[in-house]
Amino acid sequence: MSHRTCTFRPDSLEAETTHLSSCRECAAEIQTLEQVERSLGSTDVEPLSPVLKERLPVAPWEGASHRAWLAPVAVGAMLMALAALVAAATGTNPLDMIAAMFRGAASSATEIPDVARSLGTLVSTAPLEFRAAVVAAFIVINGLFAVMLRRRPRGIRG
């Protein structure tokens, strides 16, 4: 037993029984622990009945089918379409744009801001229709994100 006033550590069951007969505080602590144990009752866990299992809501990860490939494919397709739109709007070959960008960036680390400025100039000199399409796509994509965040996941009722 170990509490505020008694530091007895029994090494056998007999030593504990003899100590409990002589120490009132340890005996009172044991009685308190036994009362708590009796008040808790049985701690046996019974398995759920099939009827109860059917009434439980489905967890969000159980109700959805696994489609992890769809998002990366869609993002890749959107990036390729965006790159094609930029190339068409500027009237240049996409491979020439990429090669020029790498040549400019590889020549010197101080020229990287120049490359960024040149890309900015390409976008700013793009036709007004292209810039309007970029703004519209931005609004549509963010609207889709907002709708997806507001909807209730499948499997949750309430």
Side-chain angles (χ1 to χ4, degrees):
M1 299 293 123
S2 177
H3 51 81
R4 289 185 205 120
T5 58
C6 181
T7 58
F8 176 74
R9 302 251 185 240
D11 53 354
S12 67
L13 187 58
E14 294 81 24
E16 183 178 351
T17 337
T18 56
H19 174 73
L20 286 176
S21 63
S22 64
C23 182
R24 290 184 194 164
E25 292 173 352
C26 290
E29 186 176 346
I30 290 292
Q31 285 178 352
T32 305
L33 290 173
E34 287 174 352
Q35 287 175 355
V36 168
E37 187 177 357
R38 280 193 300 273
S39 70
L40 290 175
S42 173
T43 57
D44 294 337
V45 177
E46 297 178 16
L48 290 175
S49 67
V51 175
L52 183 58
K53 282 183 189 177
E54 291 171 6
R55 289 187 5 211
L56 291 173
V58 178
W61 59 86
E62 293 173 340
S65 61
H66 185 66
R67 290 185 292 246
W69 55 268
L70 185 60
V73 168
V75 168
M78 284 192 300
L79 286 175
M80 289 187 345
L82 181 64
L85 283 174
V86 168
T90 58
T92 58
N93 184 359
L95 296 177
D96 291 340
M97 286 175 50
I98 293 171
M101 184 177 66
F102 281 121
R103 271 194 304 272
S107 64
S108 172
T110 59
E111 293 181 6
I112 291 177
D114 294 335
V115 171
R117 257 186 251 107
S118 66
L119 286 175
T121 341
L122 286 175
V123 172
S124 66
T125 58
L128 182 62
E129 295 84 12
F130 173 74
R131 289 186 271 169
V134 169
V135 169
F138 177 80
I139 292 171
V140 167
I141 289 171
N142 282 300
L144 286 173
F145 286 152
V147 168
M148 289 170 58
L149 286 172
R150 293 182 58 88
R151 73 178 180 89
R152 181 181 297 152
R154 286 191 296 179
I156 297 179
R157 299 178 191 150

